[in-house]
Amino acid sequence: MTRSPYQGIDARAFWRTGLAEAAYPPPDLYRPRWELTKGDRIVTAGSCFAQHVGRALRRNGFNVLDAEPRPAGIAPEDGPSHGYDMYSARYGNLYTTRQLRQLLEEAWGSPRDFDAIWEKDGRFYDALRPNIEPGGFESAEAVRAARAQHLEKVREVFTQADVFIFTLGLTEAWLHKPSGQVYATAPGTIAGRYDPEIHAFANFRVSEVKADLEAALARLRALNPALRVLLTVSPVPLTATASQAHVLPATVLSKSVLRAVAGEMQDDHPEVDYFPSYELVTSVRAGAGWFEPNLRSVREAAVAQVMAVFTRAHLGAAAAEPAVELPAGESAEDRAARRADRQERKAAREARRAARGK
């Protein structure tokens, strides 16, 4: 009989040996639930951080599908501003699980009746992906034609998928009250006009986020019974919150809800895995140095470190190493110096107390 249930378990299970005194990123952080091969057909979607996942996988030779590739007339550097080179289809950022669920419902024949086309300065925008065409479309008919083509490609790419990688980004959203349709952005920010009579703010709870994700994945598994799913949570904080809370606790609440759902999905479904990119970027060992000065955008070098953890776990020595090394948090020497400083200050306090007692 052991003295404690913690006796003899892996060093990775303890904060001191698993994080505080370990290399960073920790070498045994992520143990894949299932194998990802370069022959697997991968579909990516989600919040803005999901773009990094797709690019890193392509660099390592994985088969990331792209049903709506960038046309030859658009330069590579202009691709993302037109919705290209981001994900496996031109759906733009899918920040919430409700967006994902509704996209799949629309693609397979259940569109909602809502204000699907926004207008601004005589140009027209797809209300569900208003930033995929800078300056908008020339007519409402052009928006409808582009969306019909897009939905055809959504059906095509998800029907082919072996693996679906989805990054959960937000719980806050704006919706069309009569239909329940969720937008990618608030009406009026890019185009359209905010009307409090028909538009409402929503901050989805754990039960709602999970129900939407369950429904979306059930639809995809009906198409591909062997589909495997990898979930991540975006480490990028909220730009702003409409919850009336300060943006810091609002961000923590949103990410906590998403992380809880990802954990429950992993526990409940053997085909679902979770990769801890969120934890890697936001941990105390990473610190503010993993972010740009705005404390929102994740540095490219940090993204490279995160994706190196993922690719090493799946490819081993064959994984491409990050081109840029990024120091993570304080070094062992820094920690030792900090301990010495604390001890020195403690000794000084005790000396002052002893002097007063004489």
Side-chain angles (χ1 to χ4, degrees):
M1 180 180 297
T2 60
R3 293 192 301 272
S4 164
Y6 293 97
Q7 186 176 351
I9 63 176
D10 288 349
R12 71 198 295 266
F14 295 91
W15 187 265
R16 178 176 62 82
T17 50
L19 183 70
E21 296 179 357
Y24 200 82
D28 195 19
L29 178 72
Y30 170 57
R31 295 178 178 178
R33 170 172 278 186
W34 34 258
E35 182 182 8
L36 181 67
T37 71
K38 291 188 176 181
D40 287 325
R41 293 165 296 187
I42 302 169
V43 169
T44 63
S47 75
C48 53
F49 192 78
Q51 300 172 44
H52 298 303
V53 177
R55 286 196 293 267
L57 291 174
R58 287 190 179 96
R59 282 197 300 270
N60 278 275
F62 286 97
N63 181 23
V64 181
L65 301 182
D66 187 354
E68 296 183 90
R70 172 174 42 83
I74 297 179
E77 60 270 20
D78 296 329
S81 65
H82 290 75
Y84 297 109
D85 303 327
M86 297 172 68
Y87 307 110
S88 293
R90 202 181 173 203
Y91 25 68
N93 293 328
L94 301 178
Y95 291 108
T96 64
T97 58
R98 183 68 54 88
Q99 280 179 271
L100 174 65
R101 177 180 184 172
Q102 292 181 345
L103 171 66
L104 297 177
E105 289 172 350
E106 182 186 11
W108 271 271
S110 304
R112 287 170 171 75
D113 183 14
F114 73 106
D115 52 340
I117 299 175
W118 289 340
E119 186 270 339
K120 180 180 179 181
D121 300 330
R123 303 290 291 182
F124 298 85
Y125 298 78
D126 185 337
L128 299 185
R129 46 180 195 154
N131 53 359
I132 59 111
E133 192 66 30
F137 291 84
E138 62 182 12
S139 66
E141 290 73 22
V143 175
R144 295 189 188 97
R147 184 149 196 89
Q149 182 182 32
H150 168 62
L151 292 173
E152 179 183 345
K153 295 301 182 180
V154 168
R155 290 189 292 271
E156 175 186 310
V157 78
F158 278 104
T159 300
Q160 297 175 20
D162 297 312
V163 175
F164 177 40
I165 300 178
F166 184 65
T167 298
L168 296 89
L170 298 174
T171 57
E172 295 190 10
W174 289 89
L175 55 83
H176 180 255
K177 289 196 286 188
S179 67
Q181 178 67 50
V182 168
Y183 302 108
T185 62
T189 55
I190 296 177
R193 181 176 300 172
Y194 171 63
D195 183 345
E197 296 298 318
I198 63 172
H199 300 133
F201 172 72
N203 197 3
F204 298 118
R205 298 187 173 190
V206 170
S207 59
E208 295 171 302
V209 174
K210 187 177 181 182
D212 288 333
L213 189 54
E214 290 271 19
L217 298 188
R219 181 178 290 274
L220 293 177
R221 284 194 297 269
L223 296 170
N224 295 317
L227 182 73
R228 288 161 286 152
V229 179
L230 179 69
L231 299 176
T232 65
V233 172
S234 170
V236 178
L238 277 64
T239 301
T241 178
S243 66
Q244 307 304 313
H246 186 281
V247 70
L248 177 57
T251 293
V252 173
L253 173 62
S254 186
K255 302 300 180 178
S256 299
V257 167
L258 299 176
R259 180 61 183 91
V261 169
E264 290 189 357
M265 294 295 292
Q266 183 186 33
D267 288 344
D268 294 347
H269 301 282
E271 75 277 13
V272 175
D273 201 2
Y274 173 76
F275 174 65
S277 57
Y278 171 75
E279 290 86 340
L280 272 169
V281 176
T282 62
S283 80
V284 294
R285 283 291 303 277
W290 277 43
F291 288 87
E292 297 291 352
N294 64 10
L295 297 182
R296 287 196 70 253
S297 305
V298 182
R299 293 184 185 275
E300 283 296 327
V303 173
Q305 292 284 356
V306 169
M307 294 313 303
V309 173
F310 180 83
T311 54
R312 280 197 294 263
H314 284 283
L315 296 178
E321 289 300 314
V324 181
E325 294 293 330
L326 180 74
E330 62 181 6
S331 66
E333 291 78 11
D334 292 334
R335 290 195 298 274
R338 190 157 52 84
R339 283 195 299 268
D341 182 66
R342 286 199 305 268
Q343 292 168 354
E344 184 177 328
R345 283 186 279 114
K346 180 181 178 181
R349 287 195 301 271
E350 290 174 349
R352 286 195 296 271
R353 283 197 295 268
R356 286 196 298 270
K358 288 183 178 178

